[in-house]
């Protein structure tokens, strides 16, 4: 089945220690998104890639970076995690920006910062 | 400043009855509205959408109603089944790529 895969499902990191979360997709979609969802909150878009073009949301902290080496993979790098960065991180895809109303989500990575 | 609001954090419904999940929004520029369903330990799954030029969209047991004058969206599930128990997110798009999500409503369907 075509899908969106996130690894790891659970990640524990120390305060200030860089961490990378991974997302891959077999849908061959052009757009990949990263969302942050804190407990009992709505998912919040951090950034997206349309093919190789990166688009950062205005209020996404500089601490968050992303890489997309090819169509299938996208990474979220948190350079110096703080306690406030503990959250569920969701990766999503859509065929293109025009069909962004139909996004396919991965299961998420729950990040704990100690 | 929440542009998409789901005011009920939870809802319990008897199996076989109708479930009605509600969503209010403030941005008149939203052109698409969506519902996503999320089971524990899984990512949200697209359920149903409606364009702002329509007032109703139906897909099997799921119907979404849009009242633009009231800026109100609702999802009806008839009949409700225990497998429908999940968190339901309302989301909206304002003509670009970005989806704005509500905080979700946890639906429990009691057998």
């Amino acid at each position: 089945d075509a899908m969106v895969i996130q690894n790891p499902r659970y990640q524990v990191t120390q305060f200030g220690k860089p961490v990378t979360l991974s997302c891959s997709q077999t849908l061959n979609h052009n757009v990949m998104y990263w969302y942050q969802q804190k407990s009992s909150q709505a998912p919040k878009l951090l950034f997206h890639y349309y093919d190789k073009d990166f688009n950062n949301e205005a209020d996404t902290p500089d601490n968050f970076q992303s890489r997309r080496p090819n169509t299938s993979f996208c990474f979220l790098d948190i350079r110096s995690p703080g306690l406030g960065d503990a959250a569920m991180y969701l990766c999503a895809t859509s065929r293109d920006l025009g069909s962004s109303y139909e996004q396919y989500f991965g299961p998420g990575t729950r990040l704990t910062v100690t | 400043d929440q542009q998409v609001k789901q005011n009920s954090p939870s809802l319990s419904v008897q199996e076989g009855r109708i479930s009605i999940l509600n969503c209010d929004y403030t941005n008149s520029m939203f052109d698409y509205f969506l519902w996503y369903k999320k089971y524990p330990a899984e990512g949200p799954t697209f359920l149903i959408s409606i364009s702002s030029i329509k007032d109703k969209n139906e897909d099997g047991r799921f119907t979404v109603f849009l009242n633009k004058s009231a800026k109100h969206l609702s999802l009806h599930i008839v009949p409700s089944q225990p497998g429908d128990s999940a968190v339901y997110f309302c989301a909206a798009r304002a003509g670009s790529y970005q989806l704005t999500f509500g905080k979700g409503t946890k639906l429990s369907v009691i057998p």
Side-chain angles (χ1 to χ4, degrees):
Chain A
D1 285 343
M3 54 175 44
V4 181
I5 302 161
Q6 291 189 245
N7 286 305
R9 297 291 305 275
Y10 301 90
Q11 176 74 57
V12 180
T13 191
Q14 291 178 332
F15 182 95
K17 186 174 181 182
V19 66
T20 295
L21 309 182
S22 169
C23 177
S24 64
Q25 52 125 345
T26 60
L27 297 160
N28 205 32
H29 281 174
N30 290 315
V31 191
M32 295 186 78
Y33 309 82
W34 279 105
Y35 289 85
Q36 178 192 64
Q37 186 183 16
K38 296 187 177 180
S39 181
S40 301
Q41 298 295 311
K44 178 179 177 297
L45 183 65
L46 295 173
F47 26 60
H48 77 274
Y49 270 96
Y50 176 61
D51 196 14
K52 294 186 185 301
D53 293 333
F54 177 72
N55 191 304
N56 202 30
E57 294 304 304
D59 55 355
T60 299
D62 293 339
N63 199 24
F64 292 84
Q65 305 281 319
S66 185
R67 297 170 282 135
R68 189 178 186 188
N70 54 52
T71 301
S72 301
F73 284 87
C74 196
F75 300 99
L76 169 62
D77 300 308
I78 308 176
R79 291 193 295 189
S80 182
L83 297 178
D85 296 327
M88 176 72 83
Y89 289 88
L90 295 164
C91 174
T93 73
S94 67
R95 188 179 303 109
D96 52 47
L97 292 176
S99 58
S100 62
Y101 54 86
E102 187 169 344
Q103 294 185 16
Y104 295 80
F105 283 82
T109 295
R110 183 166 295 283
L111 178 68
T112 300
V113 182
T114 61
Chain B
D1 177 26
Q2 268 188 279
Q3 295 189 53
V4 176
K5 291 184 183 178
Q6 294 177 258
N7 291 318
S8 298
S10 62
L11 175 68
S12 288
V13 172
Q14 286 289 131
E15 180 178 4
R17 299 287 185 102
I18 183 171
S19 295
I20 300 176
L21 296 101
N22 293 304
C23 180
D24 296 301
Y25 64 94
T26 57
N27 188 344
S28 300
M29 300 302 293
F30 286 141
D31 65 341
Y32 258 101
F33 301 89
L34 309 94
W35 286 95
Y36 280 82
K37 176 180 178 179
K38 184 182 182 307
Y39 291 119
E42 294 184 15
T45 303
F46 171 76
L47 187 59
I48 192 169
S49 66
I50 187 168
S51 164
S52 61
I53 63 173
K54 295 187 174 182
D55 54 18
K56 178 182 174 182
N57 189 25
E58 196 170 349
D59 184 3
R61 295 186 297 115
F62 302 91
T63 302
V64 57
F65 294 93
L66 176 61
N67 182 334
K68 282 185 290 185
S69 61
K71 292 191 172 67
H72 181 80
L73 185 71
S74 63
L75 174 68
H76 293 211
I77 306 173
V78 183
S80 302
Q81 299 174 354
D84 296 329
S85 297
V87 177
Y88 289 79
F89 289 96
C90 172
R93 189 186 77 168
S96 63
Y97 57 88
Q98 186 177 45
L99 295 184
T100 301
F101 285 85
K103 292 185 178 182
T105 296
K106 184 176 180 180
L107 174 65
S108 299
V109 180
I110 304 161

